[in-house]
Amino acid sequence: MRPDGLGPLYAKGMFIQACLNGNRRLDEHPAVPIGANELARDAQAARVAGASAVHIHPRASCGRPSLDAKSVASAVSAIRLVCPGLPIGVSTTQEIDENLNRRVGTICAWSVLPDFASVNFWEAGATEIARSLRDRGVGIEAGVSTPADVNAFLSSGLQGRCVRVLIEVLWETNVEAALVTADHLLSLLSAANVAEPRLVHGEDATAWPLLRWGSARGQQVRMGFEDVLTLPGGGYTSSNTDLIRAAFMN
């Protein structure tokens, strides 16, 4: 038994990635971590609660998600200081910057590198973003949400070269439809002999059902404020840590 009493949770053998903030705002939940020190605090607590890795959206001084070298270095360095060895990932979504060339240039300018970064294969330029990450020695999480995204990933030449594939069920708000989509995407990846681990997640209404579905099938999962702001059943959560703890209990 661990001294913090979390032995039974670790015994489940679940890989849970803590997705700490995403594009969430403080007016959505007052505990969303924005600054580097807040991200480090939540990462440390998530690790104690059992998280195997963290995924963050670094923020600029204005509070908006940013890929610039200063923002990434500040957030990643702060987390590494209190969580040595914990894998840290960032987002490269075009929602942060729609200009593909600028995003590639920003990645090339990073002074402190995250361990991995997510790349959405439903976005234009995904292969270019992924290759710029590989050139810097940053691992890739390949995100797919539709069969077309799976095809884009398979055509990219990156199969077998990624940290994991994210099965991101983002377009269905109906739980039953979301589970059908997740199953179909998992089947397509298996049929293509994709060797990378899969991480399954939804958001808001589908976040908890997909966490249970993925975990029951031995897949990696994730949980945190980026994906949902409430506990299972809709109860209030005060922190990312509450969500991580609840994930192990579900």
Side-chain angles (χ1 to χ4, degrees), residues 48-99:
V48 171
S52 300
V54 294
H55 169 81
I56 62 171
H57 288 219
R59 304 296 180 98
S61 58
C62 64
R64 295 186 63 181
S66 173
L67 286 174
D68 72 75
K70 182 178 179 180
S71 300
V72 172
S74 179
V76 172
S77 296
I79 294 172
R80 286 209 174 114
L81 183 65
V82 297
C83 300
L86 180 69
I88 304 166
V90 303
S91 174
T92 64
T93 176
Q94 65 183 17
E95 292 178 6
I96 298 174
D97 187 344
E98 293 187 359
N99 186 298

Side-chain angles (χ1 to χ4, degrees), residues 181-201:
T181 295
D183 187 65
H184 184 45
L185 294 174
L186 188 61
S187 297
L188 290 174
L189 293 168
S190 297
N193 296 314
V194 172
E196 286 91 342
R198 283 73 143 165
L199 185 152
V200 179
H201 80 95

Side-chain angles (χ1 to χ4, degrees), residues 10-210:
Y10 278 79
K12 290 187 176 183
M14 291 174 64
F15 178 105
I16 296 183
Q17 182 185 93
C19 52
L20 299 179
N21 60 348
N23 296 328
R24 298 284 190 182
R25 305 180 308 274
L26 289 174
D27 61 359
E28 295 179 81
H29 196 292
V32 172
I34 302 297
N37 290 334
E38 294 171 349
L39 286 166
R41 174 205 66 205
D42 274 26
Q44 185 176 39
R47 184 182 211 179
V48 171
S52 300
V54 294
H55 169 81
I56 62 171
H57 288 219
R59 304 296 180 98
S61 58
C62 64
R64 295 186 63 181
S66 173
L67 286 174
D68 72 75
K70 182 178 179 180
S71 300
V72 172
S74 179
V76 172
S77 296
I79 294 172
R80 286 209 174 114
L81 183 65
V82 297
C83 300
L86 180 69
I88 304 166
V90 303
S91 174
T92 64
T93 176
Q94 65 183 17
E95 292 178 6
I96 298 174
D97 187 344
E98 293 187 359
N99 186 298
L100 174 61
N101 291 332
R102 191 162 53 226
R103 269 187 294 150
V104 170
T106 301
I107 291 168
C108 293
W110 284 349
S111 57
V112 176
L113 300 178
D115 297 288
F116 58 89
S118 60
V119 179
N120 299 330
F121 273 82
W122 58 88
E123 295 178 349
T127 299
E128 289 83 353
I129 292 290
R131 287 176 178 166
S132 67
L133 291 167
R134 278 184 55 81
D135 288 346
R136 297 300 316 276
V138 178
I140 300 163
E141 292 184 314
V144 300
S145 287
T146 68
D149 305 339
V150 174
N151 290 334
F153 168 62
L154 296 176
S155 299
S156 70
L158 293 165
Q159 182 177 345
R161 301 179 179 181
C162 298
V163 173
R164 62 182 60 87
V165 176
L166 308 177
I167 296 177
E168 305 188 86
V169 186
L170 304 178
W171 317 128
E172 290 90 355
T173 58
N174 175 273
V175 171
E176 183 176 349
L179 296 178
V180 169
T181 295
D183 187 65
H184 184 45
L185 294 174
L186 188 61
S187 297
L188 290 174
L189 293 168
S190 297
N193 296 314
V194 172
E196 286 91 342
R198 283 73 143 165
L199 185 152
V200 179
H201 80 95
E203 63 179 13
D204 296 324
T206 66
W208 288 108
L210 278 164

Side-chain angles (χ1 to χ4, degrees), residues 229-250:
L229 298 173
T230 57
L231 294 168
Y236 178 80
T237 179
S238 64
S239 65
N240 274 305
T241 310
D242 285 349
L243 294 172
I244 298 299
R245 290 180 182 274
F248 277 106
M249 297 174 186
N250 277 266

